[in-house]
Amino acid sequence: MSLKIYNSYTRQKEVFESITPGHVGMYVCGPTVSGESHLGHARPYITFDVLYRYLTHKGYKVRYVRNITDAGHFEEEGRAAEDKVSKKALLEKLEPMELVQKYTNLYHWAMKQFNCIDPTIEPTATGHIVEQINMIEKIIQAGYAYEINGSVYFDVKKYAANYDYGKLSGRILDDLLETTRELDGQEEKKDRADFALWKNAAPEHIMRWNSPWGEGFPGWHIECSAMATKYLGAEFDIHGGGMDLQFPHHESEIAQSTICNHHNPVRYWMHNNMITINGKKMGKSYNNVIKLTEMFSGNHPLLTQAFHPMVIRFFILQSHYRSTLDFGSTALEASEKALKRLWEAYEALQKMEADSTRLTATDIELEAKVLQLLNELEEFMDDDLSTAKVLANMFELAPTINSIKDGIINVTAISGTTLQLMKDRFKVILEDILGLTSMNSQDDGSLERVMQLLIDIRKEAKSKKDFATSDKIRNQLAEMGILLKDEKAGEMSWTKL
RNA sequence: GGUCCUGUGGCCGAGUGGCUAGGCAAGGCUCUGCAAAAGCCUCUACAGCGGUUCGAAUCCGCUCGGGACCUCCA
């Protein structure tokens, strides 16, 4: 089976074939660490984490590069050179790098909460100023960039005359030139569609570097081109990011890299869609963001409660990455309940003994259904990461698992090999590929043993019809946030609320 | 204004022309000392109007809604 992914560049699903057999080079646009990450940011990182995990599962050795944008960009071109980082730094009276460090740490922490695997390389823009300057020089030498007043701009018109400018974002240069929008500082550029490679730094600008064109700082798009080129080469397999970056960021990236490396840089472009609130994109500009720390603490007017990072991860995986996903507290609550149910079924499954020598099934129909649902899991993953369908199948299997556990269905209904297969597949899909983990925070196992003791005492009390004692145990545990559940056959299990 | 996406049952969401996704909520039942959990069952929707087709949520057109990008944005 082969993986098919939707390529934004060609606008169709394509069979994925890596440039170098067995290896994949993947670049994902990382965060700008001038502020705290919000729910919207979580989506690409979780989406591409799943892709990374899946490629690895498929046997690829993946070089996964995800940058940290810590150099800051101008808010509007040409405006008093005040980038986002330095502006905030003044407000908070912090060194720019201090600020950057703070938000980088916070971002890393959030990624850990989400159980995202670290990229194999996480380069920073400030650590690659030299590479960026070199790249700009090459573009100037090639004749596709010009310097004015200590700034360097990319000549889009010239590029468009010789290359396929606008293909990724479906943009037509003439339309762009007609845009009526008036921006400050446009007069410096030869053409309004041109974009900055290097910006001259005004005196008050804190973050600044020496360059052949004087003191300044890099334009927004060049860092990704420079770092992707350095670590992945002139042509690499996958480039990911949010849909809102398609233009102008990724379009510019293609132009820069193409001129510099004489090669279309990316084989497969992948873009995740936005998370919305009441149908509107969550974003700084809309003033409707919910920060991740707020999600985890529940400390936000739109939230009815705190949400575990795994619930958010699960929530995101329940939709397809190319669809918008509308945030809502009730939707999150639904995800929380769903995840708990699925996870408990999964844990029950793992506790079952599978006799792999028992090859026969007494319920042929069920056996066939289970096998089909299991086999579809990887098919769905292969189909442009259809995680929603994967989860749907797992939910379809949950009643079978629970019924076997409760003795409603005899374990012999399905073959031992199928049960073992189900155990294996569930583990691989849920933990390895989807990256889900238990929501119960790890402890040293002492809680587990204490709970077992209480369960034993309660079983004893029940058998003696001492319901006062059995209810006391159950009720007081409930007050502590632990739910005790009686099961069929007199067994008991527990879960944290 | 330009380019593009989208409109699915109470809510969230999959849906590649024909085979009722799934989750949550709701109702009924079973199990049960009680409750919860679990299991079984019920709820068959695709904005509207035309068209193509033996057959359309799925393709085409129009209308009405929503959104994204064109400026920093995941």
Side-chain angles (χ1 to χ4, degrees):
Chain A
M1 285 192 292
S2 52
L3 171 64
K4 284 202 288 289
I5 57 183
Y6 181 86
N7 189 347
S8 310
Y9 194 71
T10 56
R11 285 153 215 276
Q12 58 188 14
K13 275 185 204 169
E14 296 173 352
V15 173
F16 176 75
E17 284 171 39
S18 67
I19 296 165
T20 310
H23 291 258
V24 173
M26 172 161 107
Y27 188 95
V28 174
C29 285
T32 302
V33 285
S34 63
E36 212 180 310
S37 298
H38 60 74
L39 181 59
H41 295 118
R43 197 172 195 187
Y45 306 136
I46 288 171
T47 298
F48 293 110
D49 182 58
V50 170
L51 176 62
Y52 176 46
R53 288 166 175 271
Y54 192 56
L55 288 168
T56 305
H57 165 77
K58 287 234 159 209
Y60 289 106
K61 180 112 176 55
V62 185
R63 179 173 292 170
Y64 174 21
V65 181
R66 189 182 61 200
N67 66 297
I68 297 272
T69 298
D70 58 353
H73 306 125
F74 32 83
E75 300 230 287
E76 279 177 13
E77 275 187 357
R79 195 205 220 177
E82 235 181 5
D83 71 34
K84 281 192 282 181
V85 170
S86 63
K87 189 176 181 186
K88 190 93 180 271
L90 289 171
L91 291 175
E92 298 196 6
K93 297 238 190 317
L94 286 171
E95 272 299 313
M97 285 318 287
E98 203 173 2
L99 191 70
V100 159
Q101 189 67 56
K102 173 181 157 188
Y103 289 122
T104 300
N105 292 345
L106 206 49
Y107 163 74
H108 283 150
W109 170 80
M111 290 303 105
K112 279 274 180 294
Q113 300 301 302
F114 284 131
N115 197 32
C116 287
I117 298 176
D118 292 332
T120 52
I121 302 178
E122 191 171 54
T124 60
T126 54
H128 295 76
I129 298 293
V130 173
E131 287 82 351
Q132 295 179 69
I133 288 173
N134 288 344
M135 194 165 204
I136 295 167
E137 285 184 311
K138 276 193 191 169
I139 296 171
I140 293 174
Q141 278 160 25
Y144 283 88
Y146 54 91
E147 185 206 339
I148 287 181
N149 301 331
S151 293
V152 182
Y153 295 96
F154 190 91
D155 191 336
V156 171
K157 218 174 204 171
K158 180 167 182 186
Y159 178 81
N162 300 311
Y163 299 90
D164 207 351
Y165 181 77
K167 177 168 180 187
L168 175 69
S169 57
R171 228 45 60 135
I172 295 160
L173 182 58
D174 288 342
D175 293 344
L176 293 172
L177 299 177
E178 279 168 22
T179 310
T180 51
R181 186 186 299 277
E182 279 306 325
L183 293 172
D184 297 333
Q186 293 282 350
E187 65 281 356
E188 200 173 82
K189 302 194 290 193
K190 285 206 308 206
D191 206 291
R192 65 187 316 127
D194 294 350
F195 56 88
L197 296 173
W198 186 265
K199 288 291 286 179
N200 175 43
E204 68 273 20
H205 204 276
I206 305 172
M207 282 194 151
R208 54 203 301 141
W209 290 268
N210 268 319
S211 81
W213 318 284
E215 284 195 358
F217 55 95
W220 176 31
H221 317 299
I222 195 73
E223 64 170 271
C224 287
S225 286
M227 297 190 286
T229 301
K230 175 164 183 176
Y231 299 113
L232 299 172
E235 187 194 22
F236 56 96
D237 297 296
I238 298 171
H239 190 127
M243 258 180 193
D244 49 355
L245 295 181
Q246 219 166 20
F247 189 89
H249 185 56
H250 292 155
E251 198 68 62
S252 304
E253 228 182 292
I254 292 175
Q256 294 164 346
S257 295
T258 300
I259 293 303
C260 187
N261 303 324
H262 316 290
H263 212 296
N264 196 344
V266 177
R267 282 271 185 98
Y268 303 89
W269 282 93
M270 294 178 74
H271 291 95
N272 63 276
N273 215 316
M274 301 293 104
I275 286 182
T276 57
I277 289 192
N278 298 321
K280 286 249 190 304
K281 174 186 171 184
M282 184 182 285
K284 278 173 237 174
S285 330
Y286 299 92
N287 251 319
N288 62 356
V289 303
I290 302 178
K291 293 173 188 165
L292 292 177
T293 48
E294 293 168 338
M295 291 295 313
F296 300 161
S297 70
N299 184 24
H300 190 283
L302 287 173
L303 298 176
T304 53
Q305 59 168 87
F307 290 101
H308 193 280
M310 278 308 120
V311 171
I312 295 165
R313 185 167 179 121
F314 179 80
F315 172 67
I316 286 171
L317 295 177
Q318 266 185 308
S319 72
H320 191 265
Y321 75 92
R322 282 190 290 112
S323 301
T324 55
L325 173 59
D326 203 43
F327 161 84
S329 217
T330 47
L332 262 301
E333 284 167 38
S335 288
E336 181 180 86
K337 285 184 187 157
L339 175 57
K340 269 192 179 159
R341 193 163 81 83
L342 182 62
W343 199 263
E344 277 165 24
Y346 166 60
E347 288 185 329
L349 174 65
Q350 294 309 320
K351 281 181 192 154
M352 289 176 195
E353 299 265 339
D355 178 5
S356 293
T357 60
R358 191 171 51 74
L359 305 174
T360 53
T362 55
D363 188 339
I364 305 298
E365 214 171 294
L366 181 66
E367 168 88 355
K369 186 186 159 199
V370 169
L371 279 173
Q372 191 199 334
L373 288 169
L374 288 177
N375 287 327
E376 281 172 345
L377 296 175
E378 190 145 337
E379 272 176 47
F380 292 156
M381 281 307 295
D382 275 335
D383 184 15
D384 197 29
L385 309 181
S386 297
T387 53
K389 285 181 169 183
V390 169
L391 288 170
N393 267 27
M394 299 187 114
F395 273 107
E396 282 204 71
L397 287 163
T400 301
I401 295 169
N402 286 328
S403 293
I404 291 172
K405 180 189 73 171
D406 289 342
I408 296 168
I409 296 176
N410 195 293
V411 71
T412 56
I414 60 172
S415 66
T417 47
T418 297
L419 182 61
Q420 186 58 49
L421 184 70
M422 183 150 66
K423 288 178 70 168
D424 296 344
R425 289 278 165 87
F426 262 64
K427 185 171 192 329
V428 166
I429 295 282
L430 285 177
E431 298 206 41
D432 299 348
I433 295 173
L434 299 183
L436 294 165
T437 61
S438 169
M439 289 197 278
N440 292 332
S441 52
Q442 281 84 351
D443 60 69
D444 57 3
S446 61
L447 178 62
E448 187 68 48
R449 292 193 293 277
V450 170
M451 283 307 301
Q452 197 50 54
L453 174 66
L454 285 168
I455 284 172
D456 288 346
I457 293 170
R458 183 155 182 277
K459 275 186 192 166
E460 243 177 80
K462 277 185 71 174
S463 68
K464 289 187 217 151
K465 302 232 184 280
D466 176 9
F467 298 124
T469 302
S470 66
D471 284 354
K472 183 180 178 185
I473 292 171
R474 184 176 66 197
N475 295 340
Q476 297 210 352
L477 281 172
E479 281 172 30
M480 290 180 247
I482 292 175
L483 183 67
L484 211 56
K485 295 181 291 193
D486 289 355
E487 296 174 348
K488 309 275 175 189
E491 284 307 308
M492 293 173 202
S493 65
W494 60 279
T495 181
K496 282 190 187 173
L497 286 175

